[in-house]
Amino acid sequence: MIKITELSEKDLREIGLTFANYVYPADDRGMFPFDDKEMLTRYIMGFAKSCMQAGMLYATSEKHEGYIAITTPDSKYPFKAIRTFIREVIGSLGWKRYIRFVKFISKGGQNLESILRKQKQKYVVVQLLAVPEKYQHQGYMRQMMEFALQTAGKYQLPLVIETDEQLKCDKYCHLGVKLVNKRDFGDHRYGYGMICDNA
């Protein structure tokens, strides 16, 4: 894995489209409640950019076959990354939609990170994992998950992953994590909180 310090607009868009072009089944429609692919693309682009500026974004190689953003107890969010999050992530939705989004997500109850924080547990978390379409089904997801598990192992802490569809959840579980927290947002939208205990 290599740490990413610079991405082109094309690279960022490729990450965003990985999420925006994902085809969800009718009974498990993902966590993003707005049917606007361009909006979701911009939202993910901004989030990936803020992760990069925070020093938490990695790629599988110089070819960028896959991207993973991972935070540890040592991770810090510099002002530049916070500013990018506000300007680009929230800006992609607009404040009204962003508030609706937050309210929508809160209907499902606490995510796994919030639960662990309340229990005063430390953890390592995968914030983003994306394999561009041309590199999918070639083993890059497994490669990035091995990196995430190794990182959590170095800290002797649990690895936490949140995803938004049962098939995605099954793929992660096949790679060594287990589902411990399922949230129901209504409208056939769910959140899946998974963990691998390395302690």
Side-chain angles (χ1 to χ4, degrees), residues 3-176:
K3 183 173 281 192
I4 298 297
T5 58
E6 187 174 350
L7 283 174
S8 68
E9 189 75 6
K10 180 181 177 182
D11 289 330
L12 286 166
R13 189 162 188 83
E14 204 166 46
I15 296 172
L17 288 172
T18 300
F19 291 85
N21 288 337
Y22 186 85
V23 180
Y24 290 91
D27 60 350
D28 203 352
R29 302 173 59 205
M31 291 169 57
F32 193 75
F34 306 112
D35 296 323
D36 186 325
K37 284 190 175 184
E38 181 59 24
M39 186 186 298
L40 178 55
T41 300
R42 300 300 304 182
Y43 179 91
I44 296 296
M45 288 173 68
F47 182 67
K49 188 174 181 180
S50 70
C51 287
M52 177 185 69
Q53 292 173 344
M56 63 179 70
L57 184 66
Y58 297 83
T60 48
S61 77
E62 295 289 349
K63 292 183 178 180
H64 295 190
E65 302 97 339
Y67 300 90
I68 184 170
I70 187 166
T71 55
T72 71
D74 301 329
S75 298
K76 292 179 172 58
Y77 245 90
F79 175 74
K80 184 178 182 181
I82 296 171
R83 184 179 60 191
T84 294
F85 184 90
I86 293 172
R87 185 181 66 241
E88 299 193 26
V89 177
I90 297 177
S92 64
L93 300 180
W95 279 105
K96 287 185 179 179
R97 283 196 187 92
Y98 181 72
I99 291 169
R100 281 173 54 198
F101 184 38
V102 171
K103 288 181 178 179
F104 179 82
I105 294 300
S106 69
K107 290 193 301 183
Q110 292 183 320
N111 66 12
L112 188 51
E113 282 190 75
S114 298
I115 293 169
L116 293 176
R117 275 199 300 269
K118 282 197 172 181
Q119 295 172 353
K120 297 185 177 179
Q121 290 190 39
K122 292 183 177 181
Y123 51 87
V124 172
V125 59
V126 173
Q127 298 285 1
L128 176 147
L129 191 150
V131 180
E133 187 175 358
K134 63 184 175 181
Y135 294 116
Q136 290 176 7
H137 312 297
Q138 297 176 44
Y140 293 110
M141 178 181 174
R142 177 180 291 275
Q143 186 177 329
M144 290 186 288
M145 278 299 298
E146 287 174 354
F147 170 72
L149 289 165
Q150 288 169 4
T151 301
K154 288 178 184 177
Y155 285 87
Q156 295 187 306
L157 292 174
L159 177 70
V160 172
I161 303 172
E162 299 272 351
T163 194
D164 64 350
E165 192 240 354
Q166 183 66 56
L167 181 59
K168 294 181 185 179
C169 177
D170 293 343
K171 288 180 179 179
Y172 282 119
C173 290
H174 183 68
L175 295 174

